[in-house]
Amino acid sequence: MKLEVHSAQAFKLDTDKIAADKSISHRCAIFALLSKETSVVRNYLEGEDTLDSLEIAKKLGLVVQKEAGEYHLSPPKTILEPKTILYCGNAGTAIRLYLGLLSAQKGMFVLSGDQYLNERPMKRVVDPLRSIGAEILGRENGNLAPLVVLGNPLLKSFNYTSKIPSAQVKSAMLLSALFAKGESQYCEPELSRDHSERMLRGMGAEIETKTLDYGAVQIHIKPLKQPLKPLHLEIPADPSSAFFFAVAIAITPCAQGTLRNVLLNPTRIEAFRILEKMGVKIEYKEHSKTYESIGDIAISAPKELCAIELSAKISWLIDEIPALAIAMACAKGVSYVKNAKELRVKETDRISAVVQNLRLCGIKAEELEDGFMIEGGVMKKACVESFGDHRIAMSFAIAGLKCGMLIKNAEYINVSFPNFLEILETITNIKRL
């Protein structure tokens, strides 16, 4: 699908329709397998990625029933060996977390995805799992899917230090540690997204997190003595999805908006903090807290956006950087993103994709090995490519509010935000070509 987005005038947006959190939805499907009772989950994200996670859980024995908008997730007595390939679609979170869980189960499991996922690197998860006794086979010695997991219920406990802050690596190792023969410890150089620890701890897992003096994080995990308690939660709006509309407000003079029922986890709203530093007025109004803090985010466009340099807490920003690049392109001055080499191994090489598309829009941008430079200017309408990446597609759809835009292969938006276009249509005219 080719998407045409028209430029917009000042608008007011007040929405509680932001897509449910993708990270938490994935984890609900996977963690429900670890309980002995039925989990009840409301507002599960019905995007392509998270539905693939749920389908995999069903093949592993999870019974899924949907009643009046609620998902009732009933686990099997033991995880089943599937008769077919476990298809992960475009979901890096699904394939990496399932690698951790299935490495510790009895049976053979084959994980594969679409053309883009099967080119993404997996050794960052495969190697640490192999070091504790997991047997994983795949292309390029296990770096590329399809991957075959020969489950080993006798995985060793571990003391593992990761060189990168990665929620996916951490979550895979935490899941394997729950079945290890002894207590384990996982360290990362700085805190990455911590939904897995929070949710598993809420379900009864014995997981302790400690921040060391120099900023590193140490996590102590005890193996399960019994099945976990079931989940009972309503999934809040995804701050990474909400952020596209925060940028829409930020780049449109006199625009205002309120994004409701958004997850306010500190590791997930750093991009909003960056917009504040660029001059955007933002207020956070917490109204509930269960596993996580949830609330409304009120945003007002500034008279002028200021350039910024980013090099810290990149793991808290990795999904939002493409949208931040649009704000940088509209800001006064030269912005930099550094220490973000991880962007090159997402759904696409996001550094290259952002720079190529911005240049098409008349913006001066240069690739760095670990990021990019963007000089703010006047954006021009162009025909850009999504590169099969939902976040690139949505970022340049938002850029279209400034100057109009054509986005090729925009159907990938459905991976994480199925009603993105529905909300965008309340702001401006769009055409599906």
Side-chain angles (χ1 to χ4, degrees):
M1 176 185 75
K2 184 182 286 186
L3 176 69
E4 183 176 13
V5 179
H6 292 262
S7 59
Q9 302 299 315
F11 61 85
K12 289 187 178 181
L13 176 68
D14 189 326
T15 183
D16 60 359
K17 304 296 185 184
I18 300 294
D21 190 78
K22 184 167 173 261
S23 296
I24 294 177
S25 294
H26 276 303
R27 285 160 175 79
C28 284
I30 298 168
F31 295 175
L33 288 161
L34 304 179
S35 176
K36 63 180 178 181
E37 299 174 35
T38 298
S39 292
V40 179
V41 178
R42 293 177 296 281
N43 199 34
Y44 187 88
L45 175 62
E46 294 180 341
E48 291 176 3
D49 274 9
T50 46
L51 290 175
D52 285 333
S53 262
L54 199 59
E55 281 300 311
I56 291 172
K58 288 165 68 174
K59 289 179 180 178
L60 297 172
L62 189 73
V63 176
V64 178
Q65 293 180 304
K66 188 177 179 184
E67 300 175 9
E70 291 184 343
Y71 277 87
H72 293 245
L73 311 175
S74 302
K77 290 183 180 179
T78 58
I79 288 175
L80 305 179
E81 183 179 59
K83 298 176 182 178
T84 60
I85 289 173
L86 302 175
Y87 180 70
C88 302
N90 194 246
T93 298
I95 195 168
R96 290 175 176 138
L97 267 64
Y98 275 120
L99 280 171
L101 174 62
L102 299 177
S103 289
Q105 310 304 316
K106 185 178 180 180
M108 186 186 83
F109 311 89
V110 182
L111 293 155
S112 189
D114 67 12
Q115 61 177 320
Y116 298 101
L117 184 64
N118 283 4
E119 293 302 321
R120 293 177 66 180
M122 295 296 151
K123 290 200 80 173
R124 61 182 55 202
V125 174
V126 169
D127 282 349
L129 288 171
R130 282 175 171 170
S131 74
I132 61 172
E135 190 170 355
I136 303 171
L137 309 174
R139 295 186 299 134
E140 290 189 6
N141 192 28
N143 188 43
L144 300 178
L147 296 168
V148 179
V149 180
L150 303 176
N152 178 8
L154 300 174
L155 290 181
K156 296 179 289 186
S157 58
F158 59 83
N159 188 339
Y160 182 80
T161 300
S162 177
K163 294 180 181 179
I164 58 171
S166 166
Q168 292 178 354
V169 176
K170 174 173 63 177
S171 298
M173 294 298 282
L174 290 182
L175 287 167
S176 66
L178 294 177
F179 298 92
K181 301 303 177 185
E183 298 181 10
S184 297
Q185 186 168 282
Y186 181 89
C187 296
E188 57 182 350
E190 67 179 30
L191 181 65
S192 61
R193 292 180 178 183
D194 59 353
H195 303 305
S196 292
E197 304 96 290
R198 289 172 180 257
M199 292 174 69
L200 290 170
R201 197 179 295 123
M203 295 173 75
E206 294 185 74
I207 297 175
E208 294 181 5
T209 301
K210 181 167 72 172
T211 303
L212 306 180
D213 292 340
Y214 52 93
V217 174
Q218 190 178 78
I219 304 171
H220 188 78
I221 314 105
K222 293 183 179 180
L224 292 180
K225 297 175 183 176
Q226 58 190 13
L228 296 176
K229 295 180 288 187
L231 290 160
H232 289 277
L233 80 160
E234 180 168 353
I235 300 174
D238 191 319
S240 298
S241 295
F243 188 69
F244 292 107
F245 290 99
V247 172
I249 295 164
I251 67 173
T252 306
C254 301
Q256 295 179 325
T258 301
L259 311 172
R260 300 195 180 276
N261 303 319
V262 179
L263 175 68
L264 299 180
N265 181 309
T267 68
R268 298 294 305 282
I269 59 170
E270 183 67 13
F272 290 87
R273 302 294 190 192
I274 299 302
L275 276 187
E276 289 183 81
K277 292 177 182 178
M278 295 178 76
V280 181
K281 182 181 178 182
I282 301 180
E283 293 182 61
Y284 309 87
K285 304 170 185 177
E286 182 185 78
H287 55 61
S288 64
K289 190 169 186 176
T290 50
Y291 297 93
E292 303 270 10
S293 172
I294 301 166
D296 301 336
I297 303 177
I299 306 165
S300 299
K303 290 183 179 179
E304 185 176 70
L305 281 168
C306 303
I308 195 164
E309 293 190 18
L310 301 180
S311 60
K313 293 185 177 177
I314 295 298
S315 65
W316 293 14
L317 293 167
I318 205 73
D319 283 340
E320 293 82 8
I321 286 176
L324 270 171
I326 304 305
M328 293 173 178
C330 298
K332 182 179 180 180
V334 179
S335 297
Y336 287 90
V337 173
K338 299 178 181 179
N339 296 329
K341 201 169 184 178
E342 185 78 3
L343 286 169
R344 293 202 182 272
V345 293
K346 300 298 283 184
E347 281 81 342
T348 188
D349 180 339
R350 287 179 175 166
I351 293 173
S352 177
V354 163
V355 169
Q356 285 185 54
N357 282 348
L358 284 178
R359 285 176 173 174
L360 291 172
C361 297
I363 297 296
K364 184 178 179 180
E366 294 180 10
E367 287 190 38
L368 309 175
E369 182 183 0
D370 60 349
F372 46 69
M373 177 283 292
I374 297 172
E375 183 176 333
V378 178
M379 295 193 75
K380 299 175 183 177
K381 184 175 182 179
C383 182
V384 300
E385 175 61 64
S386 76
F387 297 95
D389 189 319
H390 54 126
R391 299 197 190 279
I392 297 295
M394 288 186 281
S395 295
F396 282 87
I398 294 302
L401 299 177
K402 201 74 178 171
C403 55
M405 196 70 63
L406 285 167
I407 303 105
K408 294 186 286 187
N409 298 311
E411 66 273 11
Y412 285 92
I413 288 169
N414 291 325
V415 162
S416 64
F417 201 162
N419 65 321
F420 172 81
L421 297 181
E422 176 188 327
I423 299 173
L424 190 62
E425 281 182 303
T426 67
I427 296 172
T428 191
N429 293 323
I430 66 173
K431 290 182 182 177
R432 299 162 178 83
L433 304 175

